[in-house]
């Protein structure tokens, strides 16, 4: 009923225990009330956070670091809506937001895509009937192109330079129409995309070829809520799930000689099997010799039973949140 946006400080690196868990208590710096459930949020810059609400409203909050307060900087009321924006119950959940300052793209249950600019009051562009089903997540492919995933297993590319309200490409999981919940683009090779959805499978796509995933990897036993390539070390990928697991997928070379990251947790090796045309630079994620493509998978939180709803990662630091109303920080990802 009463939702809040909170900013925490997790202190310095001095207080790390043997297992990589942060020792000191995180400090709540400030918080502010938020109308509706928080469906997604992302930093726009050092001070501003864009938040998607279940009411369909998109709000930019500013974090004032000098006096540690939060304030609403800008608000687009009912950016997403089912019937019309004016009816009191007309809001449709805004399910995803992605920022590429100053641009902000939002998607929603209403199948609508909005493009905003941080300092403009009016919406820059709306694609009204972008999808007949719920759009669950969005990411930038390039500065002018976005990718969306929907509840019938489709991945669509939209070119924001085109005035047409049609996707430039549509990809889909074969047959099953499994809802996709999350998407991330490889930070260096923009044609490689990872998605996850209701069946817990990890799908890797090469958007230059075909309309189906290059590989489908058995992953979680329930919905996958988030997938992230490591931003500076994209041989590493992280996924989290309703089943209470958070998996670290490691495709960096020569697994056998590497120290194990964590001594607990299940460990298994899986193989890719698929073929792609020869590329001058073949990413491990798309590689076509199954025997070489060993991959190490570690469940970073093996005994967790409640859903892991979200994760983010930077350098050696992994942050994730669970249904236990807890936020966890692991600072020694590559110890």
């Amino acid at each position: 009923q009463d939702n809040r946006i909170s900013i925490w400080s997790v202190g310095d690196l001095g207080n790390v225990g043997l297992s990589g868990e942060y020792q000191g208590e995180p400090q709540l710096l400030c918080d502010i009330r938020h109308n509706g459930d928080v469906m997604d949020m992302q930093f726009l810059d050092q001070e501003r956070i864009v938040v998607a609400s279940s009411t369909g409203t998109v709000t930019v909050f500013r974090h004032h670091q000098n006096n540690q307060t939060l304030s609403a900087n800008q608000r687009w009321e009912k950016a997403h809506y089912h019937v019309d924006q004016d009816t009191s119950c007309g809001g449709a959940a805004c399910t995803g937001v992605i920022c590429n300052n100053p641009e902000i793209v939002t998607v929603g249950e209403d199948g609508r895509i909005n493009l905003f600019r941080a300092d403009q009051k009016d919406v820059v562009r709306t694609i009204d009937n972008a999808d007949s089903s719920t759009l669950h997540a969005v990411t930038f492919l390039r500065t002018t192109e976005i990718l969306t995933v929907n509840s019938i297993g489709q991945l669509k590319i939209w070119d924001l330079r085109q005035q047409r309200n049609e996707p430039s490409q549509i990809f889909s999981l074969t047959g099953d129409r499994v809802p996709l919940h999350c998407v991330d683009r490889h930070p260096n090779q923009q044609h490689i995309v990872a998605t996850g959805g209701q069946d817990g499978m990890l799908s890797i796509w090469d958007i230059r070829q075909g309309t189906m995933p290059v590989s489908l990897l058995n992953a979680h036993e329930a919905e996958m809520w988030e997938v992230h390539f490591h931003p500076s070390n994209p041989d590493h990928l992280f996924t989290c799930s309703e089943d209470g697991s958070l998996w670290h997928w490691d495709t960096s070379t020569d697994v056998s000689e590497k120290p194990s990251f964590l001594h607990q947790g299940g460990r298994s090796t899986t193989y890719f099997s698929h073929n792609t045309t020869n590329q001058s630079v073949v990413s491990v994620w798309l590689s076509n010799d199954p025997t070489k493509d060993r991959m190490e998978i570690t469940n970073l939180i093996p005994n967790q039973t409640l859903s892991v709803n979200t994760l983010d990662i930077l350098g050696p630091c992994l942050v994730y949140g669970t249904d236990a109303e807890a936020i966890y920080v692991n600072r020694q990802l590559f110890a």
Side-chain angles (χ1 to χ4, degrees):
Q1 294 299 310
D2 179 22
N3 296 307
R4 308 186 84 76
I5 305 289
S6 308
I7 301 234
W8 297 80
S9 162
V10 290
D12 56 13
L13 280 165
N15 303 329
V16 176
L18 292 173
S19 65
E21 287 302 311
Y22 174 68
Q23 295 297 292
E25 284 291 312
Q27 298 294 312
L28 177 64
L29 297 180
C30 51
D31 64 2
I32 191 169
R33 286 199 62 162
H34 179 267
N35 193 14
D37 294 345
V38 177
M39 304 297 286
D40 197 9
M41 58 182 181
Q42 204 186 27
F43 278 97
L44 177 69
D45 54 27
Q46 291 289 321
E47 297 189 328
R48 290 178 295 178
I49 307 144
V50 184
V51 181
S53 170
S54 59
T55 64
T57 294
V58 178
T59 311
V60 182
F61 290 97
R62 188 179 286 275
H63 176 212
H64 306 275
Q65 293 171 3
N66 53 354
N67 60 359
Q68 291 305 345
T69 56
L70 274 167
S71 65
N73 182 236
Q74 197 162 356
R75 186 174 277 130
W76 293 284
E77 295 283 349
K78 289 193 189 156
H80 294 272
Y81 54 91
H82 281 305
V83 190
D84 57 65
Q85 276 175 301
D86 303 326
T87 51
S88 59
C89 58
C94 177
T95 51
V97 57
I98 192 80
C99 304
N100 185 15
N101 196 4
E103 297 191 319
I104 299 163
V105 174
T106 67
V107 296
E109 269 179 14
D110 53 356
R112 197 174 263 107
I113 299 172
N114 289 312
L115 171 63
F116 300 103
R117 285 213 177 83
D119 300 313
Q120 289 185 22
K121 224 169 63 181
D122 295 325
V123 62
V124 176
R125 169 102 189 264
T126 296
I127 304 177
D128 265 328
N129 299 311
D131 216 297
S132 55
S133 63
T134 296
L135 289 169
H136 281 142
V138 58
T139 191
F140 273 99
L141 197 54
R142 300 182 180 77
T143 48
T144 57
E145 283 185 309
I146 56 167
L147 272 172
T148 58
V149 293
N150 70 11
S151 61
I152 55 169
Q154 291 174 320
L155 196 153
K156 297 183 182 181
I157 299 180
W158 304 84
D159 186 339
L160 297 173
R161 292 164 303 189
Q162 299 287 338
Q163 285 312 302
R164 295 182 310 129
N165 291 343
E166 302 287 326
S168 52
Q169 275 176 282
I170 300 179
F171 303 82
S172 59
L173 293 168
T174 49
D176 301 340
R177 298 199 157 215
V178 175
L180 291 172
H181 292 308
C182 52
V183 58
D184 196 29
R185 188 205 77 202
H186 191 290
N188 312 335
Q189 294 178 287
Q190 294 173 332
H191 54 278
I192 301 174
V193 173
T195 62
Q198 188 170 298
D199 58 1
M201 298 275 281
L202 173 65
S203 307
I204 306 290
W205 312 69
D206 180 349
I207 59 170
R208 299 170 306 182
Q209 52 186 44
T211 57
M212 297 187 308
V214 181
S215 52
L216 287 169
L217 298 159
N218 277 314
H220 303 280
E221 289 167 20
E223 290 92 344
M224 185 190 294
W225 291 131
E226 194 100 68
V227 56
H228 276 300
F229 285 101
H230 191 289
S232 53
N233 198 347
D235 286 347
H236 300 269
L237 178 98
F238 297 82
T239 59
C240 64
S241 167
E242 180 72 29
D243 67 10
S245 59
L246 193 159
W247 285 18
H248 174 184
W249 306 71
D250 176 7
T251 64
S252 56
T253 49
D254 209 4
V255 167
S256 57
E257 291 178 14
K258 292 182 13 210
S260 67
F261 287 126
L262 287 163
H263 303 294
Q264 75 233 41
R267 187 166 299 242
S268 65
T269 302
T270 102
Y271 295 88
F272 282 103
S273 61
H274 52 268
N275 57 342
T276 55
T277 51
N278 280 332
Q279 292 131 15
S280 50
V281 179
V282 176
S283 162
V284 176
W285 294 105
L286 305 179
S287 175
N288 58 2
D289 179 352
T291 53
K292 285 204 309 241
D293 293 333
R294 283 256 169 89
M295 162 156 67
E296 192 173 36
I297 301 167
T298 311
N299 180 7
L300 298 185
I301 39 173
N303 303 319
Q304 160 80 1
T305 52
L306 295 168
S307 174
V308 184
N309 300 319
T310 185
L311 71 94
D312 206 355
I313 147 189
L314 193 63
C317 200
L318 170 74
V319 180
Y320 57 95
T322 75
D323 268 359
E325 296 188 9
I327 299 165
Y328 297 86
V329 182
N330 179 338
R331 294 175 170 277
Q332 289 185 313
L333 217 42
F334 303 113

